[in-house]
Amino acid sequence: MAASAQGPRLAELFTPKLVTVLREGYGLGALRADAIAGLTVAIVALPLSMAIAIASGVGPERGLYTAIIGGFLVSALGGSRFQIGGPAGAFIVLVASTVAAHGVDGLILATMLSGLILLAIGALRLGTFIKYIPYPVTVGFTAGIAVIIFSSQIKDLAGLELAGPEPAAILPKLRALADAAGTASPAAIALALAAILIIQGTKRFAPRLPGMLIAVVGTALVAALAGLPVETIGSRFGGIPSMLPAPALPALSVEKVMAVLPAALSFALLGSIESLLSAVVADAMTGRRHRSNCELVAQGVANIASALFGGICVTGTIARTATNVRSGARGPVSGMLHALFLLGFMVIAAPLAAYIPLAALAGVLAVVSWNMIERHAIGILLRASRGDAAVLTVTFLLTVFEDLTAGIVAGFSLGALIFLHRMAGTVAVETGVPLIEPDRADSDRPETGGRTAWRPAEGDERAVAVLRISGAFFFGAAATVGATLDNVGAAAPKAYVLDMSAVPLLDSTGAATIDGFRRKADRQGATLWIAAARPAVRHMLHRHGLIPPAVHFRGDTGTAVAAARQALTAG
């Protein structure tokens, strides 16, 4: 009882959902359901993991290492019952740029460092703050990533042969691809279109079938039997190994760590956002609730382990997690089994992977990028308000034409400014005039600022000005609230009563504004009474020196007015 009254204990917050599920009772029926779900997800993850790895600029085997090692640990240690971990399309841009700048060794080190950062974020219980990323930002950068992923697949979709390395920036990339249009391969285009049609067709007419796997296997058979002149995993990478490598630490040095640290921070930020979004989607589908910080700790461990085995970034994957839920999963065991099934596929079918056409895998990612764009959400946000539309547009454009980090930072900053402006507009002092007014020329209004100032009744020696402040009184509203209080103060009443019953929040700037008003009242020989302040608001005022006898507190406005009048009469 004591624990529930004071909140959950630290150990409870970081207990994996696997332990919770096993404590609830886990029988053969649940194991059977999880095995079926795990197999279904593994069939989806097999071609997708290889495609994401190739698009990221590394070998297909690294995508499988990531899904096997990272996927197992995310499910075993995570704070979500249904989360499926592995390589994600959202990371393709960041991973590819890191490989280009620092090589595969630098990528492995950045992945390990991002795991340590995620561990710290979760251990410090900062996961809750990740949820504060504005919705237009997540929609904008996801759409931007989708555009970049698709642009990165045009070369393999069409079987183009570039004169030099493919540029990373999207505009030079598109120019290079356009220049190479004459080298397009009809066979590659046909295989890519066939893969896309198979995936979309099975999704519409036979959604229970693994469309991606059918597309990859089918196009591989056609290419091999017909002897089509297309590039395959075997021709570019020499196939994939049939076993996991031995764990090994990446090369470590202070210089290398500092060089890849920005990439590691980007991995950690995006991994936090993606994994918690995926967990929220699973919660919405099942009615369960995940533990954010436990999930981030699991993501951290998974990224460290993935790096040790030569894998790339691990995060929660929304599409595979949703597939897991729809397949009837009962708990984290399904995610663990999905990783074991992938290991089995790799051991048994590794030689066959060499025949998979890269055009087919590009078709898989083309479908993934199309599905990543939340078209319905974009339409709603563009119509919702100019502020949301601006945040969405800025995030999208910067993600596509600059980089993901710039898009998220700019979108979040703009969203925060718009939110502060909206919040400031909700704070009011009851003077009969809105707190936020458009700019006017000085000739259009008197020096009082155009607001209706309080005036005492003529001859009323016990005049008390009662002012009611409503809304969150924070730095964004301090200037306008201060101007209104100064305007009222120009009437020089004998006492002021500030009714703060409708102020749910007061920050240091707001408290300093009240203190400034108190000093002005002192100079006028007036007293200040504060009524109905909530405990947190009163505490903040006390910390800024607003304590008796400088200011007087009462529990309600009526009592404060009566006390002020009595003090004036006695004086």
Side-chain angles (χ1 to χ4, degrees), residues 379-439:
I380 291 175
L381 290 172
L382 290 176
R383 295 190 301 267
S385 70
R386 286 182 294 179
D388 289 338
V391 172
L392 171 67
T393 303
V394 167
T395 305
F396 173 78
L397 292 177
L398 283 175
T399 299
V400 172
F401 295 104
E402 185 61 32
D403 59 58
L404 178 62
T405 303
I408 292 177
V409 171
F412 180 81
S413 301
L414 180 59
L417 288 174
I418 292 172
F419 172 77
L420 291 176
H421 176 73
R422 290 171 177 169
M423 286 295 294
T426 65
V427 185
V429 179
E430 292 186 0
T431 59
V433 176
L435 194 61
I436 304 295
E437 293 182 301
D439 291 341

Side-chain angles (χ1 to χ4, degrees), residues 26 55 90 145 178 184-185 242 297 449 478 532 542 550:
Y26 191 80
I145 290 170
S185 166
S242 57
V297 167
H542 285 173

Side-chain angles (χ1 to χ4, degrees), residues 33-49 64 67-68 71-72 75 81-87 208-213 316-343 345:
D34 280 339
I36 294 172
L39 179 60
T40 303
V41 176
I43 291 172
V44 173
L46 179 64
L48 198 54
S49 298
L64 293 176
I68 293 168
F72 186 89
S75 295
R81 290 174 182 255
F82 305 102
Q83 184 83 280
I84 298 295
R208 292 186 175 276
L209 295 180
M212 290 184 180
L213 187 63
T317 56
I318 295 176
R320 276 159 274 174
T321 298
T323 300
N324 188 40
V325 172
R326 286 194 293 265
S327 299
R330 301 287 183 85
V333 174
S334 64
M336 299 163 65
L337 290 175
H338 127 272
L340 296 179
F341 283 129
L342 281 175
L343 178 60
F345 291 157

Side-chain angles (χ1 to χ4, degrees), residues 464-487:
V464 177
V466 180
L467 308 172
R468 186 173 188 270
I469 303 175
S470 60
F473 191 179
F474 69 112
F475 65 90
T480 45
V481 170
T484 303
L485 293 177
D486 286 344
N487 180 37

Side-chain angles (χ1 to χ4, degrees), residues 262-285:
L265 290 169
S266 297
F267 291 165
L269 174 62
L270 183 58
S272 301
I273 297 170
E274 282 287 304
S275 61
L276 296 186
L277 281 177
S278 180
V280 168
V281 169
D283 289 351
M285 294 177 69

Side-chain angles (χ1 to χ4, degrees), residues 7 56 67 118 207 231 234 259 283 286 289 298 337 342 359 373 447 500 521 556:
S56 300
L118 285 166
E231 197 171 13
D283 289 351
T286 63
R289 289 187 64 82
L337 290 175
L342 281 175
I373 300 175
E447 288 299 317
M500 302 188 72
D556 61 80

